[in-house]
Amino acid sequence: MSNEVQYKVVVGLEIHVQLCTRSKMFCGCAVKFGQPPNSRVCPVCLGMPGVLPVMNKQAFEYAVLVALALNCEIADFTKWDRKSYYYPDLPKNYQISQYDLPLSTNGFIEIPLEQGRTKRVGIIRAHLEEDAGKNLHPAGNFSQVDLNRTGTPLLEIVTEPDMNSGAEVRALAVELQRMVRYLSVSEADMQKGQMRFEPNINLVITKDGAEYKTPIAEIKNLNSFRALERSIDYEIQRQLDEFLETGKTMDTAGKSTRGWDDDREATFLQREKEEAPDYRYFPEPDLVPVELTKEWLDDIRAHLCELPITKQMRYVNEYKLSDYDAGVLTAERSTAEFFEQAIDAGGEPKRVCNLLTQVGLKLANEKGCGLAELGLAPENVAELAKMIAVGQVSATAGNTIMQEMLKTGKSPQLMAEELDLVQKSDACELETIVDQVLTENTKAVDDVKSGGKKSKKALGFLLGQVMQKTKGRANPKVVSGILAKKLG
Amino acid sequence: MENLSAKELRDKIAAGRISSVEATEEIFKNIDERETAIGAYINTYRDRALEKAAEVDKRIAAGKPVGELAGVPVAIKDNMCTVFGPTTCASKILENFHAPYNATFVEKLLSADAVIVGKTNMDEFAMGSSTENSGLKQTVNPWDRSRVPGGSSGGSAAAVAGGLCFAALGSDTGGSIRQPASFCGVVGLKPTYGRVSRFGLVAYGSSLDQIGPITHTVADSALMMNVIAGHDPADSTSVDEVVAPVCDYLEKVDEPIDKLKIAIVPEFSAGADQQVQKALTDAVDIYRGLGAEVIEINMPHLDYAIAAYYVIATAEASSNLARYDGVHYGHRSENAADYIEVYSKSRAEAFGKEVKRRIMLGTYTLSSGYYDAYYLKALKVRNLIRGDFTNAFEKCEAILMPVSPTTAFKIGEKINDPLKMYLSDIYTIAANLAGVPGISIPCGFDENDLPIGLQILSPAFTEDKLLRIARMYEKENDWHTRKPTVTN
Ligand SMILES: [Zn+2]
């Protein structure tokens, strides 16, 4: 028997995604980030006496759309429940949420792993609820409450504990962000709290032939993908060390809640051995259940688009792009759409991809905007790709033209001419130049003809001479052909 | 003038025979003379009322259009939100609370040009059957000042009976309009759940609460319904008028129902006092005399109504009242050491005994491990009671029964025996559980010269018919014209 310790990491996620509807979940207040405290509130979201909630239909539709993208079963009858707990950022001291009849259950998400591999992670449920406000704790013997966020539509997604590493969790988070942005239902900015991840993590350890499960830790306040991944990596090591030191398992210790310290890059204990709180769920009497008809569901489904992971895989299979390039092009929906428009206009995928990734996206990043906002016409990119394909301009010249097009908005043809970058492919014209070069470089000609070591280098030299004479505009393929014929 | 009904007064004001200012001054003269004795109001608004009255008079004099209640002095219960004055719910916790908005039905009253005289006393948060649970003051029965006015809308009923307004609004969760109306010898209508918007009514039991009129006559109730009934987009539980259209309740109120078929529930009604039973029998005879067919039915589940009610209503109340925590508005304890104590001490200091009792009951029945045995079971009983009504209304158009097992009881008689107090709602609670409308009309006096009420129940959204059935009886009697004598 080996006394080597082996372990498997088990992580499940509870995810909250703020939906970018015009108004809040149950009132007419605008959903807006970064406003003066308590400026986006009304009697309803303040939980004043006598107020009643009215469901935001757009929020419900957004939630269903995400649930569809997560391959969930969509309930045709769903209801609202009150979840009771006292906290100053929750003015009613109950949250309107969904308990036993969530709007969707039982789905999955495909997440991209390295080298084009993907993994399927199960989704237990996705339901709608209202966000709470924020408690602020300035120095002094008091706290402040900002209720601007109160009542913002919040989609809660609970995954199966299917992830086995920090990298996988990060991949899911990035994929989910890409997905909800594709669906235009959330801005999903982690720093702004528009997307929040709470991993539940523990280890299954095999030691001396026996299996042990470490106590589950839930990690809170993670505000970047990096923090998410690092916190799990940290927690893996911490739980392993703790087990080896104390032998604590799930059966001997309860679930704990841990925070993440971004500066120290470590998790820290917040609450230990937490008893399951009694939220006293009961059906929300102020709202009527939602009955989702087939027609309504079809209307919502019509807003689905090809999901980023599907697109990415298709770019690899159909367009023969590298997984990396496909990932870059599908990172944002507008980039992918631009790329596809250029393909539709006749651009060769690989060449369009190069123009976009090597020039277009670089500039967009510098400017801090999207590719589509550069004022570039996809047709022009397609045209330029075609010019490169037929050898009218070189690939290098193509990049230069692309850059100039971005500045001037002119067509690639015009740009190529203005910049004098059109390749000389006319065999007759080039033959004259080749003859001239051969006459001027008899030594090199001899070297080529002699074969052997020097031959290849001499041929390169002659080609270079031709390119020099044509200021780089000679089509190297055509020149090579002529040289081969003349020296063959 | 005091002997005029609201409708008669309205007609006279509209015809220019009485001014609204005169009528309003008359009401305030009565208030000056009698309010110290009766204690119907928590706050009155003399200047505001007279200003509105003068404005209505001016418009009438100028021949401009006015609303359906033009110039009529009315009262509303103090659990109805208004931008003027506090909205206290007769609770110390909201003693100084000023709502930032008007309830939908308050807006409707105002646009119907009603003159709001004041806001009436009630059991704290509408929890009670005698108005003795008011945290702010005591209201007495205008017919006998040693007796309770009933509750929870005791202030509204006493104000109408005592000539302190021409009509009032109450709210009815388990009989809180009908029972005080019967104790005070006036008409009280609880409409179908969903007929009148609850937006702006401070919630007690959200699935049971309904607003309705307390008036001198059946026609006055019809008039008030014309103003307050209808769908409200701010209340998701208010019923779509396509599903259940509202009508002019006043138009046909004098038309008797041909071949009326009414039912009595002898076994159930047998629990009432002899004199109450006698009044019911006499009333049934009057209907017989008017050509109605009377059948006897059995409603086997009504015996469980009180038990189911006190589980459902308190569960909802425990959640509805969670928001009164001293954090955002209302009473805040000055002795709190931390935020948990802000909650516990503010609530302990400001809620009355009965409110605390019901919050604890409701919290208990919603707790995990008890939910199924109490809350879920109560919902099942509620469905059975609904079924009893459905079955009954297949055989008849209306059900007659007592409003309360007794006439107005003595102040202090039941206040220390909650179970006995709860039993006084035995005949009214079922209508709230089933959501059907019910009316209480004066049908005689007992040996102590205390009014007795007759309750008539009809199918959901048949208030028009219910009012006509009640009017058939009213025409045959003068009970409703009798007035108590009160002086300070
Ligand atoms: Zn709001």
Side-chain angles (χ1 to χ4, degrees):
Chain A
M1 193 185 290
S2 154
N3 51 10
E4 196 183 310
V5 175
Q6 286 183 318
Y7 67 89
K8 187 181 152 200
V9 181
V10 182
V11 192
L13 284 173
E14 196 180 296
I15 307 154
H16 288 95
V17 182
Q18 275 186 3
L19 302 178
C20 58
T21 48
R22 280 183 300 276
S23 56
K24 290 185 179 178
M25 189 65 235
F26 297 113
C27 67
C29 292
V31 173
K32 257 191 177 160
F33 187 82
Q35 303 293 303
N38 298 307
S39 64
R40 299 283 158 182
V41 292
C42 72
V44 175
C45 56
L46 289 176
M48 286 282 176
V51 298
L52 297 170
V54 175
M55 184 190 82
N56 179 340
K57 209 175 150 197
Q58 191 184 33
F60 183 77
E61 292 177 346
Y62 279 10
V64 170
L65 193 61
V66 177
L68 285 169
L70 292 172
N71 306 291
C72 285
E73 291 162 23
I74 312 292
D76 51 16
F77 180 95
T78 181
K79 70 173 174 71
W80 306 96
D81 298 279
R82 291 187 183 176
K83 177 182 180 179
S84 293
Y85 62 94
Y86 279 81
Y87 209 56
D89 67 6
L90 190 69
K92 300 188 296 292
N93 288 319
Y94 62 79
Q95 178 193 31
I96 304 177
S97 181
Q98 298 197 283
Y99 183 51
D100 54 343
L101 295 172
L103 64 87
S104 66
T105 50
N106 204 17
F108 62 86
I109 180 171
E110 294 281 354
I111 58 169
L113 302 178
E114 67 280 7
Q115 288 156 358
R117 289 186 305 116
T118 64
K119 173 170 181 161
R120 179 172 290 198
V121 173
I123 302 292
I124 296 172
R125 59 186 278 161
H127 74 248
L128 253 183
E129 57 189 31
E130 52 177 349
D131 208 347
K134 276 181 188 163
N135 292 341
L136 312 166
H137 307 288
N141 186 24
F142 64 96
S143 291
Q144 294 172 318
V145 185
D146 177 6
L147 297 177
N148 280 352
R149 200 179 71 176
T150 312
T152 301
L154 204 57
L155 183 68
E156 180 177 311
I157 302 166
V158 184
T159 77
E160 295 281 2
D162 287 348
M163 285 152 284
N164 307 111
S165 68
E168 284 186 10
V169 171
R170 184 193 183 118
L172 183 137
V174 173
E175 188 55 30
L176 187 71
Q177 182 189 56
R178 188 161 71 145
M179 176 192 283
V180 295
R181 285 180 173 173
Y182 261 60
L183 297 172
S184 312
V185 300
S186 176
E187 289 167 30
D189 187 330
M190 277 184 82
Q191 273 77 32
K192 291 180 180 170
Q194 290 161 334
M195 194 160 76
R196 313 197 273 271
F197 294 89
E198 284 166 12
N200 273 265
I201 166 172
N202 75 336
L203 309 179
V204 180
I205 296 173
T206 316
K207 190 188 168 202
D208 304 332
E211 201 177 84
Y212 305 90
K213 289 176 180 167
T214 57
I216 296 175
E218 180 173 315
I219 312 171
K220 289 194 185 280
N221 42 16
L222 300 166
N223 60 8
S224 68
F225 291 133
R226 186 174 178 277
L228 179 62
E229 183 174 1
R230 299 290 281 251
S231 72
I232 286 160
D233 292 343
Y234 178 89
E235 198 53 25
I236 293 168
Q237 196 55 51
R238 190 197 65 79
Q239 292 193 9
L240 187 62
D241 293 347
E242 184 183 72
F243 173 77
L244 294 175
E245 205 174 297
T246 66
K248 263 193 213 167
T249 66
M250 233 168 126
D251 303 322
T252 57
K255 182 179 160 176
S256 63
T257 305
R258 303 184 69 86
W260 172 250
D261 186 329
D262 233 351
D263 299 328
R264 285 178 44 240
E265 297 223 324
T267 66
F268 60 92
L269 187 68
Q270 284 186 325
R271 280 187 301 266
E272 205 166 15
K273 257 193 178 177
E274 204 176 333
E275 275 177 59
D278 188 352
Y279 291 121
R280 300 193 306 279
Y281 282 101
F282 81 105
E284 164 60 278
D286 289 333
L287 287 166
V288 287
V290 188
E291 286 176 63
L292 184 60
T293 60
K294 199 191 160 291
E295 293 74 36
W296 191 11
L297 181 59
D298 288 345
D299 282 353
I300 299 169
R301 202 191 302 272
H303 289 88
L304 268 182
C305 58
E306 186 183 23
L307 295 176
I309 183 87
T310 319
K311 244 185 217 311
Q312 184 175 343
M313 284 156 70
R314 181 166 65 83
Y315 287 6
V316 171
N317 295 326
E318 195 176 313
Y319 301 143
K320 310 298 173 207
L321 302 186
S322 72
D323 187 54
Y324 177 81
D325 282 345
V328 171
L329 289 176
T330 53
E332 277 176 47
R333 185 175 174 177
S334 60
T335 308
E337 280 172 352
F338 190 97
F339 171 70
E340 288 175 26
Q341 281 162 11
I343 304 291
D344 290 346
E348 196 272 313
K350 182 66 195 163
R351 293 195 195 278
V352 171
C353 168
N354 289 343
L355 287 170
L356 294 184
T357 53
Q358 288 165 16
V359 185
L361 283 169
K362 220 182 235 172
L363 185 72
N365 280 344
E366 280 165 21
K367 288 194 170 181
C369 69
L371 184 65
E373 287 144 51
L374 289 172
L376 192 62
E379 295 74 23
N380 282 346
V381 178
E383 182 60 33
L384 180 56
K386 275 189 243 171
M387 287 162 67
I388 299 166
V390 299
Q392 198 183 344
V393 296
S394 69
T396 320
N399 284 357
T400 312
I401 293 169
M402 178 83 172
Q403 270 161 12
E404 295 306 309
M405 263 164 59
L406 281 163
K407 285 181 199 154
T408 62
K410 289 181 185 166
S411 79
Q413 201 71 52
L414 210 62
M415 265 344 296
E417 280 160 26
E418 271 183 28
L419 297 168
D420 209 5
L421 287 172
V422 180
Q423 267 188 156
K424 290 187 193 301
S425 299
D426 179 26
C428 287
E429 192 186 336
L430 286 174
E431 214 171 317
T432 320
I433 299 169
V434 170
D435 284 343
Q436 206 181 332
V437 167
L438 294 183
T439 321
E440 289 166 6
N441 299 284
T442 48
K443 169 85 174 60
V445 173
D446 291 345
D447 284 350
V448 174
K449 284 184 176 163
S450 71
K453 272 187 180 174
K454 287 181 179 171
S455 167
K456 215 175 170 190
K457 201 181 167 193
L459 192 62
F461 171 76
L462 292 172
L463 180 62
Q465 290 299 306
V466 177
M467 296 310 277
Q468 210 171 45
K469 280 204 185 298
T470 59
K471 291 177 187 145
R473 285 174 292 140
N475 185 331
K477 268 188 197 157
V478 180
V479 177
S480 297
I482 298 168
L483 281 171
K485 195 178 74 188
K486 300 222 176 236
L487 302 170
Chain B
M1 194 191 303
E2 202 188 321
N3 291 325
L4 293 178
S5 72
K7 182 184 170 293
E8 287 162 350
L9 177 69
R10 183 213 49 186
D11 292 344
K12 282 195 168 24
I13 291 173
R17 309 227 323 260
I18 296 179
S19 74
S20 174
V21 169
E22 275 176 85
T24 307
E25 276 172 346
E26 166 99 359
I27 286 298
F28 277 102
K29 193 178 115 250
N30 292 348
I31 289 173
D32 289 340
E33 284 171 13
R34 306 169 192 169
E35 172 61 5
T36 315
I38 298 176
Y41 287 103
I42 288 177
N43 281 296
T44 53
Y45 300 94
R46 191 186 298 252
D47 294 345
R48 228 188 149 271
L50 284 167
E51 199 178 306
K52 173 80 179 182
E55 190 253 322
V56 172
D57 285 340
K58 213 162 143 190
R59 262 192 287 148
I60 290 171
K64 286 183 183 159
V66 287
E68 202 160 359
L69 278 172
V72 179
V74 300
I76 58 175
K77 191 174 174 177
D78 210 23
N79 58 354
M80 303 178 174
C81 287
T82 54
V83 292
F84 58 88
T87 298
T88 68
C89 295
S91 179
K92 287 204 156 48
I93 212 157
L94 289 180
E95 197 169 0
N96 298 308
F97 171 72
H98 288 249
Y101 70 102
N102 276 332
T104 302
F105 48 89
V106 169
E107 286 292 342
K108 286 184 169 186
L109 280 182
L110 293 174
S111 50
D113 288 324
V115 174
I116 298 177
V117 173
K119 299 178 77 175
T120 59
N121 196 22
M122 54 189 281
D123 285 298
E124 185 178 2
F125 284 103
M127 297 178 186
S129 312
S130 67
T131 312
E132 289 166 288
N133 293 330
S134 169
L136 302 182
K137 71 189 293 184
Q138 176 147 49
T139 304
V140 302
N141 192 313
W143 292 91
D144 178 345
R145 284 153 65 172
S146 71
R147 292 176 190 271
V148 302
S152 65
S153 310
S156 288
V160 174
L164 309 181
C165 64
F166 280 86
L169 286 185
S171 66
D172 189 317
T173 307
S176 284
I177 287 175
R178 290 159 288 159
Q179 186 254 26
S182 104
F183 278 17
C184 292
V186 291
V187 176
L189 170 68
K190 181 203 88 77
T192 312
Y193 184 79
R195 180 79 298 173
V196 180
S197 166
R198 292 184 295 118
F199 189 84
L201 171 72
V202 180
Y204 156 29
S206 311
S207 74
L208 304 153
D209 295 340
Q210 191 60 202
I211 287 156
I214 296 177
T215 58
H216 286 298
T217 66
V218 171
D220 283 358
S221 279
L223 172 63
M224 292 289 273
M225 280 299 284
N226 277 359
V227 174
I228 61 171
H231 175 69
D232 177 7
D235 177 358
S236 315
T237 64
S238 80
V239 172
D240 193 331
E241 287 175 35
V242 178
V243 178
V246 288
C247 59
D248 185 339
Y249 297 97
L250 194 53
E251 193 187 7
K252 291 183 178 166
V253 76
D254 279 327
E255 284 180 27
I257 307 276
D258 213 24
K259 295 197 183 99
L260 177 66
K261 206 166 169 188
I262 58 176
I264 50 172
V265 200
E267 245 178 85
F268 188 52
S269 301
D273 278 4
Q274 283 305 318
Q275 295 181 70
V276 173
Q277 285 196 55
K278 169 85 171 48
L280 173 66
T281 312
D282 292 349
V284 171
D285 284 343
I286 292 207
Y287 278 106
R288 249 195 218 102
L290 292 168
E293 185 191 337
V294 180
I295 58 164
E296 292 187 0
I297 57 165
N298 195 8
M299 298 176 77
H301 301 102
L302 295 193
D303 289 339
Y304 306 101
I306 287 191
Y309 171 86
Y310 277 97
V311 171
I312 294 168
T314 58
E316 292 177 358
S318 71
S319 160
N320 285 331
L321 272 64
R323 71 190 66 193
Y324 309 114
D325 59 5
V327 173
H328 302 277
Y329 51 80
H331 172 77
R332 179 187 290 178
S333 173
E334 287 171 4
N335 311 309
D338 55 30
Y339 86 91
I340 298 290
E341 279 195 9
V342 171
Y343 294 148
S344 58
K345 291 200 169 165
S346 301
R347 289 165 71 81
E349 284 165 10
F351 279 142
K353 204 171 164 186
E354 183 62 24
V355 170
K356 285 179 188 162
R357 181 181 289 126
R358 294 195 193 190
I359 289 173
M360 285 170 72
L361 262 174
T363 305
Y364 178 78
T365 55
L366 287 179
S367 297
S368 83
Y370 299 99
Y371 182 88
D372 289 4
Y374 294 102
Y375 189 76
L376 215 54
K377 190 168 258 179
L379 290 187
K380 285 177 188 162
V381 172
R382 185 177 193 170
N383 273 331
L384 291 172
I385 289 168
R386 279 202 187 105
D388 275 4
F389 277 98
T390 310
N391 292 337
F393 290 131
E394 277 166 13
K395 302 184 200 106
C396 67
E397 292 159 279
I399 302 165
L400 268 54
M401 60 171 73
V403 179
S404 171
T406 65
T407 52
F409 45 85
K410 292 270 187 191
I411 291 168
E413 189 182 329
K414 298 186 182 179
I415 195 69
N416 293 318
D417 189 345
L419 282 183
K420 210 165 156 193
M421 187 75 95
Y422 294 175
L423 281 172
S424 65
D425 297 334
I426 186 161
Y427 295 118
T428 46
I429 272 172
N432 299 82
L433 289 170
V436 300
I439 194 168
S440 166
I441 53 171
C443 72
F445 287 82
D446 73 358
E447 59 194 7
N448 297 317
D449 249 351
L450 295 169
I452 303 172
L454 166 69
Q455 182 172 218
I456 313 170
L457 303 164
S458 73
F461 302 107
T462 61
E463 286 85 353
D464 52 336
K465 217 165 160 186
L466 179 64
L467 288 160
R468 286 166 66 190
I469 295 169
R471 178 65 186 137
M472 285 168 73
Y473 175 85
E474 191 185 58
K475 270 194 264 185
E476 303 296 314
N477 295 281
D478 65 352
W479 307 121
H480 63 284
T481 62
R482 299 202 194 172
K483 300 270 155 82
T485 359
V486 205
T487 46
N488 274 343

